[in-house]
Amino acid sequence: MLTESMEDYLEMIYRLTQEKGYVRAVDLAGALNVQPSSVTRMIQKLHEEGFIQYEKYRHIALTDKGKRLGYFLVWRDAMLKEFLTLLNARVGVEEQVEGIEHYITPPTMCLFRNLVQYFRTHPECLEELQAMNRLNKYPEGEKLEDLRAWLFRHSSD
């Protein structure tokens, strides 16, 4: 089973492969803002799990298994961002997606996809939902700013 960190690495390997056609450990370290030694340990783990092919001082290549999972990870990230943006999430979309993405199941992601597709084809329903959101009331009228989710580095506008 992949850890959150392994997912992040695999997602970035997929992204870099799509962008540049190849991935080197130094590229991965720069993209993830981590030390090269951390990259070396992680690519060894991903290689052992069968997600990548790697030889020391060579490019990192995704296996078929790695490509399929990498594609899903990139799709999941984009779909969650689209969902939150569609619903006019005003603050911290990137941070919220990072917090959500590792804990959501593929079947639940399909539900998000279906909602996005539904709202795209039924904009009147999206407008109705946005009108409800403008009321901006918390459940039961409670003040919830003390929750951990409010610890983002931004205001709650």
Side-chain angles (χ1 to χ4, degrees):
M1 178 173 11
L2 291 174
T3 65
E4 292 176 35
S5 183
M6 290 169 86
E7 285 185 5
D8 289 341
Y9 273 80
L10 195 54
E11 180 181 341
M12 188 55 69
I13 292 168
Y14 185 88
R15 287 180 187 280
L16 290 171
T17 300
Q18 295 300 111
E19 179 185 317
K20 298 172 69 170
Y22 65 91
V23 180
R24 299 173 302 160
V26 67
D27 301 324
L28 200 49
L32 292 170
N33 197 28
V34 297
Q35 294 297 316
S37 58
S38 297
V39 171
T40 300
R41 284 191 301 273
M42 184 58 74
I43 59 177
Q44 289 170 345
K45 288 180 189 177
L46 290 170
H47 177 77
E48 289 167 9
E49 294 291 326
F51 294 105
I52 64 168
Q53 287 294 324
Y54 174 72
E55 293 179 35
K56 199 171 186 176
Y57 307 115
R58 301 274 184 190
H59 292 156
I60 301 164
L62 291 165
T63 62
D64 287 340
K65 177 181 174 182
K67 287 176 188 173
R68 285 191 309 274
L69 194 54
Y71 174 84
F72 171 78
L73 296 171
V74 169
W75 173 82
R76 178 184 67 185
D77 183 76
M79 184 56 57
L80 287 169
K81 287 175 183 169
E82 183 176 359
F83 178 75
L84 291 176
T85 302
L86 184 67
L87 298 180
N88 288 328
R90 293 183 300 239
V91 291
V93 170
E94 295 278 336
E95 293 97 338
Q96 291 184 72
V97 167
E98 185 62 34
I100 295 168
E101 66 185 356
H102 299 293
Y103 298 98
I104 197 164
T105 64
T108 301
M109 281 306 308
C110 290
L111 295 174
F112 276 79
R113 178 206 56 216
N114 294 345
L115 274 170
V116 167
Q117 289 175 346
Y118 178 80
F119 285 134
R120 290 273 183 233
T121 58
H122 297 88
E124 68 283 357
C125 294
L126 179 59
E127 289 171 18
E128 186 177 333
L129 178 63
Q130 290 170 341
M132 291 169 60
N133 287 341
R134 283 191 286 276
L135 296 174
N136 202 24
K137 292 186 180 175
Y138 296 123
E140 308 302 325
E142 297 294 325
K143 291 194 153 263
L144 302 174
E145 289 85 357
D146 291 332
L147 291 175
R148 182 174 179 263
W150 283 100
L151 296 178
F152 292 120
R153 291 180 289 259
H154 50 67
S155 67
S156 60
D157 295 326

